[in-house]
């Protein structure tokens, strides 16, 4: 990870911080990233996991809640960011080798941070979870970064369609060794079988040990989410198309993707844990429309009065995601009487004043606000921690 100040950012002149931050030059992209990461912090840090409003929980299996949209939105954003980060290098074939080394390095750092987060605080390697959110981001970034350098837009569209169809066939046609016919059940689908084969049960999600919501096979359609972001980024960079036209067609494409996802849901259900092809299109289409709206407001109309809190989160997104997990685990290590520090804070400042479900929500909101304060100080000091 690299810490930079405004003077060290790779720009010239007096470019605003959000525009100077790499890999994006779009205010809307930093805003979208910030809102998405703040939502991650909100749903990952309830005061009480036993009392959560339904929209702030993942769907039990098939289906989609607002919480199920957060991770694909972030992967979509990574795809858009790849375009803005690597477009210059893409046009210089002689620089592709150096750029691939950069891509590999960033992927390795993200993967390493994911392992460190999983290991902390006990560092029990025998039960280390290898898949995870940061691991999936790293794998997707690696594949999509190379694809952006080496393929055309037309080829990327073909790859997106091929990936989604292939994944549908794998999960609904290919028999599962040891279990029989293809199925979409949590522990007996083809992806769960592959995860147990590659990682063994000791290195999967601790709440199941038989399958993992960020498993290996699900990375294939997750690359599809990244490809949707890349295609969107390339469209937004079109200088031969008026901004209003770019926005309009992005809304049309996003709406078409949502509709196709809902249709596909009829036989390949929308499912975040499996990252089904219908889910890729449904969530990706909503992400396209959300970015289109933000792009029109902030980059075209320059309406930015509401954007600062989101920008504060957006320019240090990976930093706050990683540190929030570490801090949360640390609070559970410290003892105050018979409680952990986390439980003592919650029982002292929230449970006496709210109903159980509202106390849980209030605890999550306060967590988001505390991190907002920390990130705001970093923003004012123009500090960006790059990964």
């Amino acid at each position: 990870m690299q810490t930079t100040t405004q003077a060290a950012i790779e720009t010239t002149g007096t470019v605003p911080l959000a525009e100077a931050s790499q890999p994006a030059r779009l205010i809307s992209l930093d805003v979208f990233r910030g809102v998405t990461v703040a939502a991650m912090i909100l749903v990952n840090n309830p005061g009480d996991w036993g009392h959560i409003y339904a929209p702030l929980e993942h769907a039990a299996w098939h289906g989609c809640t607002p919480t199920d949209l957060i991770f694909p939105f972030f992967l979509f954003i990574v795809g858009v960011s790849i375009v803005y980060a690597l477009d210059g290098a893409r046009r210089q074939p002689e620089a592709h080798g150096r750029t691939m080394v950069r891509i590999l390095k960033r992927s390795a750092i993200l993967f390493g941070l994911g392992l460190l987060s999983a290991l902390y605080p006990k560092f029990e390697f025998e039960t280390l979870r290898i898949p995870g959110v940061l691991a999936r981001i790293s794998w997707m970034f690696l594949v999509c970064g190379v694809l952006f350098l080496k393929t055309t837009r037309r080829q990327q569209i073909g790859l997106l369609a091929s990936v989604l169809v292939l994944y549908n066939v794998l999960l609904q046609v290919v028999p599962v060794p040891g279990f029989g016919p293809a199925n979409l059940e949590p522990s007996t689908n083809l992806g769960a079988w592959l995860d147990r084969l590659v990682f063994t049960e000791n290195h999967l999600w601790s709440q199941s040990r038989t399958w993992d919501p960020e498993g290996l096979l699900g990375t294939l359609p997750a690359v599809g989410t990244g490809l949707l972001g890349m295609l969107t980024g390339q469209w937004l960079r079109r200088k031969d198309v008026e901004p209003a036209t770019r926005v309009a067609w992005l809304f049309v494409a996003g709406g078409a993707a949502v509709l196709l996802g809902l249709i596909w849901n009829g036989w390949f259900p929308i499912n975040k844990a499996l990252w089904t092809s219908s889910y890729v299109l449904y969530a990706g289409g909503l992400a396209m429309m959300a970015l289109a709206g933000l792009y029109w407001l902030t980059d075209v109309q320059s309406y930015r009065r509401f954007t600062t809190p989101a920008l504060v989160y957006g320019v240090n997104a990976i930093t706050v995601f990683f540190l929030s997990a570490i801090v949360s685990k640390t609070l559970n290590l410290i003892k105050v009487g018979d409680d952990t520090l986390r439980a003592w804070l919650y029982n002292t400042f929230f449970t006496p004043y709210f109903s159980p479900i509202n106390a849980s929500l209030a605890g999550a909101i306060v967590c988001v606000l505390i991190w907002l304060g920390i990130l705001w100080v970093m923003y004012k000091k123009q500090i960006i921690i790059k990964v």
Side-chain angles (χ1 to χ4, degrees):
M1 300 177 74
Q2 177 185 5
T3 304
T4 66
T5 63
Q6 182 70 14
I9 292 171
E10 299 169 1
T11 59
T12 59
T14 56
V15 182
L17 176 61
E19 292 184 88
S21 65
Q22 295 294 329
R25 297 262 181 169
L26 292 176
I27 294 290
S28 53
L29 193 61
D30 272 332
V31 170
F32 194 15
R33 186 188 297 109
V35 170
T36 301
V37 173
M40 283 184 179
I41 304 302
L42 181 73
V43 302
N44 287 345
N45 294 276
D48 177 3
W49 283 101
H51 298 89
I52 305 175
Y53 279 104
L56 300 180
E57 291 191 276
H58 291 291
W61 190 239
H62 296 322
C64 186
T65 71
T67 296
D68 291 318
L69 297 174
I70 295 172
F71 194 16
F73 277 16
F74 194 86
L75 292 188
F76 174 89
I77 291 165
V78 172
V80 178
S81 300
I82 285 171
V83 176
Y84 283 83
L86 303 182
D87 196 40
R90 183 190 191 188
R91 300 172 190 275
Q92 304 174 43
E94 68 278 6
H96 284 189
R98 295 191 302 274
T99 305
M100 286 189 183
V101 171
R102 285 171 47 208
I103 292 170
L104 182 60
K105 180 181 176 182
R106 288 190 176 187
S107 299
I109 291 172
L110 285 167
F111 185 72
L113 289 174
L115 292 182
L116 178 58
S117 178
L119 282 168
Y120 183 81
K122 295 182 179 180
F123 290 87
E124 296 175 344
F125 287 88
E126 64 276 9
T127 56
L128 166 65
R129 181 193 179 197
I130 297 175
V133 170
L134 289 173
R136 176 159 289 181
I137 294 172
S138 72
W139 297 335
M140 191 225 76
F141 176 75
L142 176 62
V143 174
C144 286
V146 173
L147 287 177
F148 181 69
L149 287 180
K150 296 299 185 181
T151 61
T152 65
R153 183 173 59 86
R154 186 184 296 270
Q155 289 170 331
Q156 291 160 20
I157 294 172
L159 282 169
L160 172 61
S162 299
V163 161
L164 298 184
V165 172
L166 174 62
Y167 188 62
N168 191 163
V169 171
L170 287 174
L171 257 64
Q172 293 197 295
V173 175
V174 177
V176 183
F179 292 98
N183 68 89
L184 301 179
E185 295 304 311
S187 298
T188 58
N189 67 79
L190 188 65
W193 168 81
L194 181 62
D195 288 337
R196 292 193 296 273
L197 178 69
V198 174
F199 300 121
T200 74
E201 294 183 5
N202 284 340
H203 298 288
L204 298 178
W205 188 42
S206 61
Q207 295 185 43
S208 72
R209 295 298 187 192
T210 58
W211 61 279
D212 198 292
E214 277 79 48
L216 195 60
L217 190 60
T219 302
L220 183 66
V223 168
T225 301
L227 285 169
L228 276 174
M230 284 165 49
L231 292 168
T232 299
Q234 291 170 83
W235 174 249
L236 288 175
R237 284 182 67 87
R238 289 279 297 268
K239 302 302 181 185
D240 59 331
V241 180
E242 291 294 322
T245 303
R246 278 181 250 157
V247 171
W249 278 108
L250 198 53
F251 270 111
V252 170
V258 169
L259 180 60
L260 184 55
L262 290 172
I263 293 171
W264 208 338
N265 174 66
W267 67 90
F268 195 27
I270 291 172
N271 185 305
K272 186 262 180 190
L274 292 174
W275 214 277
T276 52
S277 303
S278 56
Y279 174 68
V280 171
L281 292 174
Y282 178 73
L286 291 174
M288 291 167 72
M289 291 190 287
L291 182 58
L294 288 170
Y295 175 73
W296 177 254
L297 282 174
T298 62
D299 291 291
V300 179
Q301 299 297 319
S302 297
Y303 183 76
R304 301 174 182 176
R305 299 177 67 179
F306 69 97
T307 61
T308 303
L311 292 174
V312 165
Y313 264 96
V315 297
N316 276 301
I318 294 294
T319 300
V320 67
F321 177 76
F322 173 75
L323 290 180
S324 66
I326 297 298
V327 170
S328 178
K329 291 183 177 183
T330 301
L331 292 176
N332 283 325
L333 287 177
I334 302 170
K335 289 290 186 178
V336 178
D338 294 330
D339 283 333
T340 65
L341 178 56
R342 181 190 177 103
W344 180 84
L345 289 170
Y346 180 64
N347 291 328
T348 301
F349 296 103
F350 297 99
T351 55
Y353 307 106
F354 301 94
S355 67
I357 196 166
N358 286 328
S360 183
L361 177 61
I365 292 172
V366 168
C367 182
V368 172
L369 294 176
I370 289 172
W371 280 109
L372 177 63
I374 295 169
L375 294 171
W376 205 300
V377 172
M378 295 174 64
Y379 182 84
K380 290 298 183 181
K381 292 182 179 294
Q382 300 175 348
I383 298 172
I384 301 171
I385 300 178
K386 295 183 178 181
V387 175

